[in-house]
Amino acid sequence: MPRLEPGMARIRVKDLRLRTFIGIKEEEINNKQDVLINLTILYPAVEAVRDNDIDHALNYRTITKAVIRHVEENRFALLERMTQEILDLVMANPDVRYAEVEVDKLHALRFAESVSITLAGHR
């Protein structure tokens, strides 16, 4: 993850728990499972800080709603694909300079809480 530079803000959305179809086994194809999503987003916040104006801030609610809608309305065979599609949604906002997305598939392995994939993008 890049170092936080002056004037930049880091937004973290932690433990967004959603249900979706994820996997390749018949049981996974036919039944929704819980996934846990964590987002880290860096954007220039000088104007938002200076003006105390929502119009100059990155709207994390809008981004999160788009992620929720996308994950809950689609099916995914692989965690890699789901993670990349979420990253693409976040990076579609032109104010985002860097984003990191981690998706945990809960109870994917016996004796493990989860298995996760993390992908990042920057401009």
Side-chain angles (χ1 to χ4, degrees), residues 7-76:
M8 297 295 285
R10 178 182 295 132
I11 296 173
R12 288 191 174 132
V13 177
K14 299 179 182 181
D15 299 337
L16 179 62
R17 186 180 296 262
L18 303 175
R19 292 186 61 75
T20 193
F21 294 99
I22 176 73
I24 57 172
K25 297 179 188 172
E26 184 176 349
E27 175 185 318
E28 297 171 321
I29 292 168
N30 294 324
N31 298 296
K32 284 189 172 185
Q33 298 176 68
D34 288 337
V35 293
L36 203 60
I37 300 169
N38 287 283
L39 308 174
T40 301
I41 303 167
L42 272 62
Y43 82 101
V46 172
E47 290 181 11
V49 170
R50 181 191 64 221
D51 299 340
N52 196 32
D53 185 347
I54 189 66
D55 290 334
H56 297 149
L58 185 70
N59 191 331
Y60 55 83
R61 180 182 300 263
T62 302
I63 292 171
T64 302
K65 283 184 176 182
V67 170
I68 292 168
R69 186 173 43 256
H70 186 77
V71 169
E72 290 185 339
E73 293 179 358
N74 287 285
R75 292 174 173 267
F76 308 92

Side-chain angles (χ1 to χ4, degrees), residues 51-111:
D51 299 340
N52 196 32
D53 185 347
I54 189 66
D55 290 334
H56 297 149
L58 185 70
N59 191 331
Y60 55 83
R61 180 182 300 263
T62 302
I63 292 171
T64 302
K65 283 184 176 182
V67 170
I68 292 168
R69 186 173 43 256
H70 186 77
V71 169
E72 290 185 339
E73 293 179 358
N74 287 285
R75 292 174 173 267
F76 308 92
L78 299 176
L79 272 175
E80 290 87 345
R81 178 60 177 255
M82 179 193 299
T83 306
Q84 183 63 57
E85 289 183 16
I86 294 168
L87 180 61
D88 291 345
L89 279 173
V90 174
M91 292 301 296
N93 186 307
D95 292 330
V96 173
R97 296 295 179 262
Y98 172 88
E100 189 172 294
V101 176
E102 179 182 27
V103 179
D104 285 75
K105 183 176 176 183
L106 303 177
H107 312 293
L109 292 174
R110 187 176 178 200
F111 305 122

